[in-house]
């Protein structure tokens, strides 16, 4: 049994989707970010960074969405969410997971919270983030055009779930991810999966659901 601490639509969505794809028993514990619950002593004892997600595994709390998704794929190889160690697709899998975690996801924090990085330069930071995010989408779209329909060619994996969460985050940007045709096709394909519908219902997501 897993316990996932979450806030609707936040980075926990990747982990939530992975749990649903795996079919692993789990419970959800909502963290009220608006009320500052992530900064409470009780939550900081679970996650010293004061962010979601936190996933309790065998009684021990762990953080970092990308790492948790990769760990779940390892713990449940029967779900085929990641290529096996030593397989031909393993390098591509690791490359895309780290690209999404290191190159794309951090730009969204700059987009949503530009003042956190350099007070007084929020507009410049936000514009730079937009340019960076759109550059990432262009790269992924080009990859899908020649190597799709999934990030790992014909193989659905947790990398696609990661991309889907980030695509949702872009929904209200000047040019959302679905402004690129192959990304739009990937989003439609993934949103048709039962895991997406179940996650949206459980987290109460109605926008871009």
């Amino acid at each position: 049994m897993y316990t996932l601490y979450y806030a609707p639509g936040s980075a926990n969505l990747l982990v939530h989707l992975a749990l649903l794809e795996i079919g692993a028993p789990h419970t959800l514990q909502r963290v009220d970010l608006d009320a500052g619950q992530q900064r409470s002593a009780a939550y900081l004892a679970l996650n010293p960074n004061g962010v979601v997600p936190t996933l309790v595994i065998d009684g021990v709390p762990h953080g970092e969405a990308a790492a948790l998704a990769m760990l779940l794929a390892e713990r449940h190889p029967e779900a085929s969410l990641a290529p096996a160690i030593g397989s031909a697709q393993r390098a591509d899998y690791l490359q895309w997971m780290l690209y999404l975690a290191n190159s794309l996801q951090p730009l969204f924090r700059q987009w949503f919270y530009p003042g956190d990085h350099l007070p007084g330069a929020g507009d410049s930071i936000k514009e730079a983030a937009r340019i960076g995010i759109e550059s990432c989408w262009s790269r992924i779209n080009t990859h899908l055009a020649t190597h799709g329909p999934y990030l790992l060619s014909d193989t659905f994996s947790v990398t696609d779930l990661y991309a889907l969460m980030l695509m949702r985050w872009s929904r209200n940007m000047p040019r959302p991810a679905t402004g690129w045709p192959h990304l739009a096709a990937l989003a439609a394909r993934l949103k048709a999966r039962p895991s997406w519908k179940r996650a949206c219902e459980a987290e109460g997501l109605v926008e871009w659901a």
Side-chain angles (χ1 to χ4, degrees):
M1 174 71 76
Y2 297 98
T3 300
L4 176 63
Y5 287 81
Y6 80 102
S10 295
N12 46 259
L13 185 56
L14 168 61
V15 184
H16 193 181
L17 288 167
L19 288 167
L20 292 169
E21 287 284 346
I22 290 164
H26 63 277
T27 59
L28 298 174
Q29 292 287 337
R30 181 167 179 169
V31 179
D32 189 339
L33 301 184
D34 291 336
Q37 192 175 358
Q38 74 276 20
R39 295 186 294 272
S40 68
Y43 188 73
L44 290 173
L46 295 172
N47 190 323
N49 292 324
V51 297
V52 291
T54 297
L55 186 66
V56 178
I57 305 171
D58 299 330
V60 180
H62 300 275
E64 299 297 334
L68 294 173
M70 295 172 76
L71 181 60
L72 286 171
E74 264 186 30
R75 285 170 63 93
H76 299 274
E78 72 284 355
S80 299
L81 288 183
I85 295 174
S87 69
Q89 287 186 319
R90 186 72 179 185
D92 289 337
Y93 159 69
L94 294 173
Q95 173 185 293
W96 280 114
M97 287 299 291
L98 293 185
Y99 178 77
L100 295 171
N102 293 337
S103 295
L104 181 51
Q105 184 173 339
L107 292 170
F108 277 101
R109 181 155 191 89
Q110 295 174 32
W111 170 260
F112 288 123
Y113 308 104
D116 288 356
H117 299 271
L118 188 61
D123 290 344
S124 297
I125 290 172
K126 190 165 186 174
E127 178 62 8
R130 181 193 63 78
I131 292 169
I133 289 168
E134 291 183 2
S135 177
C136 289
W137 291 141
S138 293
R139 178 187 169 185
I140 296 170
N141 186 72
T142 298
H143 170 78
L144 291 170
T146 54
H147 301 289
Y150 298 104
L151 284 173
L152 301 183
S153 189
D154 293 329
T155 305
F156 166 74
S157 73
V158 73
T159 60
D160 301 300
L161 299 178
Y162 201 169
L164 180 63
M165 179 186 76
L166 297 175
M167 283 194 278
R168 183 181 184 275
W169 289 3
S170 77
R171 65 194 183 278
N172 293 321
M173 293 186 68
R175 188 179 181 188
T178 49
W180 285 261
H182 298 284
L183 282 163
L186 178 63
R189 189 175 299 113
L190 297 175
K191 288 170 73 174
R193 297 181 73 87
S195 63
W196 177 255
K197 301 180 189 304
R198 291 179 60 193
C200 288
E201 290 174 0
E203 295 194 18
L205 304 180
V206 294
E207 189 178 5
W208 210 80

